[in-house]
Amino acid sequence: MQKLINEIKKTSGDMARRGWAESNGGNISLRLNEENYAFFNEFQPKSEMIKLPMGMPEIAGERFLVTGTGRFLRNIEVFPEKNIGVIEIDNMGKNWQLLWGYEPVGAPTSELPSHLLSHCRIKAKSDNQSFAFIHTHPNSVIALTYAVANLDTRSLSKLLWQSHAECVVVFPQGIEFLPWVMAGSMDLGIATADAMTKRNLAVWQFHGICGCGRNLDEAFGRIDVAEKAAEICLRVMAAGGVKQTLSDAQLRAIAANFNCPLDETLF
Ligand code: 13P
Ligand code: ZN
């Protein structure tokens, strides 16, 4: 349990210090692995059964550590039990209840649909090896969704791949671009989860980014690299625009050198 709390403290603290988590911006969820799952066996449920917005049989019986709605990620380091909670999904995948946290009262993030629906997909696509999902508000990724006209998944992926030579290695499947949808909605949750079947990153226009990974470090690292590439891209625009860039052949060569399965449909 302490290891789990330390992991989330580190990630949430890093997110806050990066400037990605103003006020209550951003949220984190971690599906509990066998080791952490068992720790909560002795806990009595702290809430009624609460209905999920749709059935999620893929994650029936799973437990998740989830940041609280309205809570500040920067405060997790100081008061973890107030700002995070552990919820359990029932055996039908239809309801959840609180086992621990959100002291004295509280609820999981308003982005729970995106988190839980994405966990359904990333659990399946990773053969049960992916446990982490992060949503956050990094400045440069958001700014890019205002500064570049007619963005879509293809143009955004290509732009970021070309803005920093490490990007094809870190996200060879590209980065999904989702046009603006209301925060916290089921529509946003469904679109994000669909994106996660193909990719590990999705940008929410005018709002932020989501990333998944085997653990919080991997999810954080993917977002960090995308944000760095977005920042470089904006600096290049501010410095008068692109004078030269990585060619398609160079991007393919980098991916091949590191054995990364590039999504060729994005070229
Ligand atoms: P929560 O406070 O409900 O987690 O919402 C923050 C956020 O980033 C919404 O998109
Ligand atoms: Zn948000």
Side-chain angles (χ1 to χ4, degrees):
M1 171 67 174
Q2 200 48 50
K3 203 169 142 232
L4 182 69
I5 302 262
N6 286 344
E7 263 181 62
I8 192 155
K9 277 183 178 176
K10 180 167 187 300
T11 302
S12 55
D14 285 346
M15 288 166 68
R17 282 184 285 274
R18 284 276 205 287
W20 299 357
E22 74 292 347
S23 177
N24 64 312
N27 21 78
I28 301 172
S29 63
L30 194 59
R31 186 162 60 87
L32 299 193
N33 61 20
E34 239 171 86
E35 182 193 336
N36 294 316
Y37 189 98
F39 179 85
F40 294 93
N41 285 345
E42 303 135 39
F43 285 73
Q44 292 303 313
K46 281 183 66 181
S47 77
E48 301 294 301
M49 282 285 189
I50 298 164
K51 208 168 161 14
L52 287 167
M54 65 189 277
M56 303 184 199
E58 302 91 334
I59 51 167
E62 296 276 7
R63 293 171 181 169
F64 294 88
L65 185 148
V66 188
T67 55
T69 185
R71 306 301 221 263
F72 293 15
L73 294 193
R74 59 191 281 270
N75 289 339
I76 293 175
E77 287 178 324
V78 194
F79 298 117
E81 67 285 358
K82 286 189 187 175
N83 298 296
I84 56 178
V86 172
I87 64 168
E88 181 178 79
I89 313 295
D90 70 9
N91 289 331
M92 306 284 287
K94 291 192 170 162
N95 303 281
W96 64 269
Q97 61 185 161
L98 182 63
L99 297 182
W100 177 88
Y102 307 137
E103 294 289 347
V105 282
T109 173
S110 57
E111 301 292 359
L112 200 61
S114 285
H115 283 260
L116 293 184
L117 289 170
S118 294
H119 276 291
C120 293
R121 304 296 179 83
I122 66 179
K123 180 182 175 186
K125 82 167 177 181
S126 69
D127 202 14
N128 201 15
Q129 298 303 306
S130 260
F131 293 88
F133 186 86
I134 295 175
H135 158 61
T136 187
H137 299 171
N139 293 347
S140 300
V141 163
I142 298 170
L144 210 58
T145 72
Y146 288 88
V148 180
N150 305 317
L151 271 182
D152 57 18
T153 297
R154 206 179 145 270
S155 57
L156 177 65
S157 299
K158 196 83 184 291
L159 191 58
L160 295 184
W161 283 347
Q162 288 176 318
S163 295
H164 179 9
E166 291 297 294
C167 287
V168 279
V169 180
V170 176
F171 47 96
Q173 298 93 349
I175 181 163
E176 189 84 5
F177 176 78
L178 297 176
W180 184 87
V181 176
M182 182 57 73
S185 65
M186 272 305 283
D187 285 350
L188 183 58
I190 291 167
T192 304
D194 283 348
M196 290 296 144
T197 59
K198 303 184 280 272
R199 314 188 207 284
N200 297 313
L201 290 166
V203 164
W204 292 352
Q205 189 180 29
F206 315 139
H207 180 161
I209 188 168
C210 294
C212 67
R214 283 167 295 180
N215 49 42
L216 289 175
D217 264 352
E218 190 173 61
F220 179 93
R222 285 174 171 151
I223 294 172
D224 206 11
V225 173
E227 168 63 3
K228 175 145 185 148
E231 189 183 335
I232 293 168
C233 185
L234 292 172
R235 287 193 192 198
V236 170
M237 287 162 72
V242 172
K243 308 292 187 301
Q244 55 273 316
T245 192
L246 285 159
S247 67
D248 289 1
Q250 285 169 327
L251 292 175
R252 288 190 174 105
I254 300 168
N257 189 53
F258 293 99
N259 287 323
C260 298
L262 261 192
D263 183 345
E264 278 288 335
T265 65
L266 298 174
F267 278 91

